[in-house]
Amino acid sequence: MPHTHHQTAHLIYGPTAAGKSTLAQQMAAQINGVRFAIDEWMHAMFAEDMPDALEMRWVMSRVARCQDQIWSVAAQVLATGTDVVLELGLLRKSDRAAIKARVEQAGHKAVFHFVDADVEVRRARVLRRNAERGATYSFDITPTMFEAMERCFEWPTAEEAL
Ligand SMILES: Nc1ncnc2c1ncn2[C@@H]1O[C@H](COP(=O)(O)OP(=O)(O)OP(=O)(O)O)[C@@H](O)[C@H]1O
Ligand SMILES: [Mg+2]
């Protein structure tokens, strides 16, 4: 049956500690939307199982499974007529294209929000957040993890910016 309601999925992405979760929380409150954050799901589902020697491959396969399950629920939320704010990591350009396609195939609108800040500002924010454990803290980000994420993140190109 064709959808008669078209909701918006706000898709938040950017490098580590750019301010994504801060924006997502503000936005969800503003639009009365439902927020899904990959870090919260990863922490709730897999924190207990994390191997001591953390591998990017171990993390990324679980991120992909969480993304699929989040989308399954988010699609139901959209179908009820409520907007969603999705903070799914979306490190790679292909991740961004994939979620956009899912949103549009379900008959809704995808709006990207790219959040960025200077790398030194972000390094300092991570250290501070680890110590303070404020509203957007999910788990400690070590300097090693920060640098690994920097290597994984694909910066948006001019053509990708909407
Ligand atoms: N505009 C800002 N000015 C100053 N500090 C900020 C700003 N935005 C966020 N912060 C702070 O910087 C830290 C990182 O912000 P936040 O947790 O929102 O980033 P993030 O992009 O979600 O990070 P991660 O990639 O690790 O999930 C937090 O402690 C937050 O309070
Ligand atoms: Mg965050």
Side-chain angles (χ1 to χ4, degrees):
M1 202 165 70
H3 289 267
T4 51
H5 298 285
H6 304 282
Q7 297 309 131
T8 300
H10 294 279
L11 306 172
I12 308 219
Y13 74 106
T16 302
K20 301 180 296 296
S21 300
T22 302
L23 176 68
Q25 289 177 4
Q26 286 168 353
M27 192 174 282
Q30 247 167 37
I31 67 169
N32 202 24
V34 176
R35 187 179 58 82
F36 294 87
I38 193 78
D39 286 359
E40 294 171 7
W41 283 54
M42 285 294 289
H43 183 70
M45 302 299 290
F46 299 119
E48 275 184 28
D49 310 325
M50 290 220 184
D52 291 338
L54 200 56
E55 283 174 36
M56 217 55 189
R57 201 180 41 165
W58 189 95
V59 174
M60 294 318 286
S61 80
R62 282 156 185 78
V63 164
R65 281 181 258 160
C66 278
Q67 284 174 338
D68 287 348
Q69 192 58 27
I70 286 172
W71 172 247
S72 167
V73 181
Q76 294 179 62
V77 172
L78 288 165
T80 69
T82 301
D83 289 346
V84 297
V85 179
L86 303 180
E87 207 199 318
L88 299 181
L90 308 180
L91 298 183
R92 291 165 300 195
K93 191 176 173 177
S94 60
D95 298 330
R96 279 143 10 212
I99 187 66
K100 183 173 193 274
R102 281 176 155 178
V103 170
E104 290 177 350
Q105 272 160 25
H108 304 288
K109 191 175 178 213
V111 176
F112 282 101
H113 302 270
F114 174 55
V115 187
D116 194 13
D118 182 80
V119 66
E120 287 308 329
V121 169
R122 294 187 289 106
R123 282 197 182 103
R125 283 181 183 174
V126 162
L127 296 178
R128 186 167 175 176
R129 189 181 55 194
N130 287 346
E132 292 181 351
R133 304 196 173 189
T136 64
Y137 173 89
S138 289
F139 42 79
D140 272 21
I141 304 285
T142 64
T144 307
M145 286 159 75
F146 183 96
E147 300 311 328
M149 295 290 277
E150 285 298 281
R151 288 192 295 274
C152 287
F153 183 71
E154 291 178 10
W155 296 81
T157 55
E159 78 199 31
E160 197 185 355
L162 300 176

